[in-house]
Amino acid sequence: HASAATMDAIHVSVALLSGNTCCLTVEPQELMGSLQRRASDAFGRHVHELHAADRPLEEGLTVAEAGLQDGDVVFAIVSKLTSICASCDAFAALTPCGAVVAWGDAEKGGDCRAVQAELTE
């Protein structure tokens, strides 16, 4: 028999901008800060922030309050970003060294490789 808490657990994929991912099992009452620390451990790198497809996920929210569901993907930001912009389907961020990184739906702005040379601070 699985406990009720285990049956409520969901699987969330955490993805780095590089494409590396890890799958973590989380409880609905677990804080996003805990998920962030577990992702840091899984990647062996400090995760500064977690983002859903359309918003940042605050550390003080529970998984349930953040609205995460089984099979969801969240994005891990492992370096401090100067600024971040988002649409419903893609993100772009400016790093402290002036580089622009993008992720999400490639057809809706999540892939900036074709114009990378034109992107400057």
Side-chain angles (χ1 to χ4, degrees):
H1 273 346
S3 71
T6 303
M7 290 173 32
D8 290 339
I10 63 169
H11 302 283
V12 175
S13 292
V14 182
L16 295 176
L17 300 180
S18 67
N20 291 339
T21 62
C22 69
C23 184
L24 299 174
T25 302
V26 296
E27 303 290 334
Q29 69 277 11
E30 185 172 342
L31 291 176
M32 293 306 303
S34 172
L35 178 59
Q36 185 174 325
R37 286 186 295 280
R38 291 176 55 208
S40 291
D41 291 344
F43 291 122
R45 302 176 70 178
H46 178 69
V47 172
H48 289 277
E49 300 176 29
L50 292 175
H51 285 256
D54 59 349
R55 68 197 181 287
L57 298 168
E58 297 176 28
E59 291 183 36
L61 292 177
T62 66
V63 168
E65 291 168 340
L68 295 183
Q69 298 177 2
D70 193 48
D72 278 355
V73 176
V74 297
F75 298 97
I77 308 299
V78 294
S79 64
K80 194 71 175 156
L81 301 174
T82 302
S83 64
I84 187 168
C85 297
S87 68
C88 291
D89 301 305
F91 292 91
L94 180 64
T95 65
C97 68
V100 175
V101 293
W103 67 100
D105 187 329
E107 293 181 6
K108 297 184 179 175
D111 183 353
C112 63
R113 290 177 290 185
V115 294
Q116 190 68 48
E118 299 172 39
L119 300 175
T120 61
E121 197 171 350

